[in-house]
Amino acid sequence: MQTDIKPAKILRSPFFIAMWLTLFLVEVIKGALLVAVLPVYMDNILGLSAGVIGVAFALQYLGDNLFRAPSGWAAERIGFRATMVTALICTLIAVIMIIFFKSAFGLALACLILGVGTSPLWPCAMTGVTALSGPQNKNGTAMGALEMAALGGTGLGPIGMNWLLERTDHDYRTVFLVLLGCAVLVILVAMILPGRVMLEEQQHTAAETTGKAVKYPPKPHLLTPLIRLKNSVQGTLQRVRSTLNVNPLVYPALFMQSFVIGLLSPVITLYTRTDLHISPNLYSLLLIAGGGITVIALLPVGKMVDRFGTSIFLHMGFLLASASLFAFASITSIPVVFGIVMMVGVSYAMILPAWNTFVATLIPKGERGAIWGFFLTLQGSGMVVGPIVSGLLWDHISHPAPFIGSAVVMAGLAVVHFVLSRRPYRTVPAK
């Protein structure tokens, strides 16, 4: 694999195609389970309380976030294929557990395993794309395409499962069997991913280019002693500390970026139903309007990011999102609300590929997988904290408060990014 591939060629590489399909299928499964199936199934069919459902979902996010950094570390040592296939087998086990387990403990454990099974997804995708893009980090197009896969799967999963439930007279066993088939399919797709060959080919090309010998990492052994594993982890942490030289503002920015989504996700449906009095069908159109324009715009915006850089898109995206969310919290006219939601969609189409590309420029060449995993874990923690804060704002201040809070956070992100764009590193870029 070459160390520097043009953005258009990245999209046609076997690694990217397999990773795109894996990401899409996993998000279909997650979106279907977490949005459309499990809340209703656990409540109406099994009679479990809202508290139990909340704990189960929190465990899913916890499993996903806790294992992102370890899975990124593992991907660089045992390869993308072995890491993803092993994890996706956990996803398959989780779906099987959901089919047969009826107790609160069993379903909560299944959700935790589901989170563990999906945890390597983004670290592997980001590490691979960053490696493919080479030293110039022209990966905005690829980042946009990955976000299209994620958003498309997250939307298609619930829509498809709701349609299937209506067609089968709410036969959940049929739905679970379909999801089981998707889990098996995504494991087969993940088997196409490269192992350590990708990393070795990249190092070999780098050696030919620079004329310097490259030391290959030691081959993994299944029966490696624990002491060797401990030494490897300690060595990784030491290299991360020595090579990661970013402005400290990067860390709160990563948290804030997903904290905004965490603030919005629990209350957006309630707000549109109770305060805006939007019908379920109209709400579906609202989601299509906002999500559709985001998906459509991601790829062209990603190409423009590769051409013009990330700064202008992030400045405009954060400010537009902040203004749109402020307006959403105060306007009740339905036609205007549709326009505002489309503005939010445009702003996120600017933010998503540009932000991932910007973060990729901060990743040093050494320990890409571990650092991507660390960054994504920190970013994902906002999704855990956001819903809790959102509920408190909704219950104790006002219904528009979560949207105003998210607008304030977006404005804060615009300020933080303005500083970061001028000084992304503490001193000089890490070598």
Side-chain angles (χ1 to χ4, degrees), residues 60 113 125 142 150 166 186 218 232 257 272 280 291 311 316 360 362 376 381:
Q60 192 277 329
I113 294 173
E166 290 293 330
V186 75
S232 179
Q257 207 269 341
T272 56
S311 294
M316 293 174 58
L362 306 177
L376 290 169
S381 63

Side-chain angles (χ1 to χ4, degrees), residues 24 27-28 31-32 150-162:
F24 174 77
E27 291 298 336
V28 166
L151 290 174
T154 302
L156 182 61
I159 292 173
M161 291 307 105
N162 281 330

Side-chain angles (χ1 to χ4, degrees), residues 19-297:
M19 197 73 243
W20 193 96
L21 290 172
T22 302
L23 181 61
F24 174 77
L25 289 169
V26 170
E27 291 298 336
V28 166
I29 296 170
K30 280 181 61 178
L33 286 173
L34 299 180
V35 177
V37 178
L38 282 182
V40 180
Y41 176 72
M42 295 173 73
D43 182 15
N44 295 349
I45 306 301
L46 302 182
L48 300 176
S49 67
V52 171
I53 298 171
V55 169
F57 279 37
L59 287 173
Q60 192 277 329
Y61 288 120
L62 184 66
D64 195 339
N65 281 288
L66 284 180
F67 285 88
R68 282 186 175 185
S71 61
W73 176 84
E76 287 192 324
R77 280 151 182 81
I78 65 174
F80 294 97
R81 185 193 307 118
T83 301
M84 284 303 308
V85 170
T86 302
L88 290 172
I89 289 173
C90 292
T91 302
L92 177 64
I93 292 172
V95 176
I96 294 173
M97 290 173 65
I98 291 170
I99 294 175
F100 293 104
F101 287 16
K102 309 298 179 184
S103 66
F105 175 79
L107 288 171
L109 181 60
C111 286
L112 175 62
I113 294 173
L114 177 67
V116 174
T118 59
S119 60
L121 194 63
W122 281 104
C124 285
M126 295 303 190
T127 302
V129 168
T130 304
L132 277 169
S133 63
Q136 296 183 3
N137 281 303
K138 289 187 176 181
N139 50 24
T141 304
M143 294 297 184
L146 288 176
E147 294 289 354
M148 285 180 67
L151 290 174
T154 302
L156 182 61
I159 292 173
M161 291 307 105
N162 281 330
W163 177 85
L164 187 59
L165 284 170
E166 290 293 330
R167 290 280 180 168
T168 59
D169 195 23
H170 292 81
D171 182 3
Y172 281 93
R173 185 162 294 274
T174 301
V175 169
F176 289 139
L177 288 176
V178 171
L179 292 175
L180 193 65
C182 290
V184 172
L185 177 61
V186 75
I187 291 173
L188 296 176
V189 172
M191 288 181 178
I192 305 173
L193 290 169
R196 294 173 57 82
V197 176
M198 187 181 93
L199 178 61
E200 291 172 357
E201 285 181 352
Q202 179 180 329
Q203 291 174 321
H204 180 67
T205 305
E208 289 180 346
T209 303
T210 61
K212 297 179 181 179
V214 177
K215 293 183 179 180
Y216 295 100
K219 295 289 185 180
H221 301 284
L222 293 177
L223 300 179
T224 300
L226 290 177
I227 186 64
R228 186 175 298 177
L229 176 61
K230 177 185 176 183
N231 291 339
S232 179
V233 172
Q234 288 176 340
T236 297
L237 293 176
Q238 184 177 357
R239 287 190 295 273
V240 167
R241 284 194 294 267
S242 63
T243 59
L244 186 57
N245 183 31
V246 298
N247 189 317
L249 285 176
V250 168
Y251 305 123
L254 287 165
F255 175 85
M256 293 163 70
Q257 207 269 341
S258 63
F259 180 66
V260 172
I261 302 174
L263 283 174
L264 296 175
S265 58
V267 297
I268 182 69
T269 303
L270 291 174
Y271 185 74
T272 56
R273 299 279 181 89
T274 59
D275 292 69
L276 300 181
H277 306 291
I278 291 178
S279 67
N281 289 335
L282 194 59
Y283 179 60
S284 296
L285 290 177
L286 194 67
L287 292 178
I288 292 172
I293 197 169
T294 303
V295 171
I296 292 171

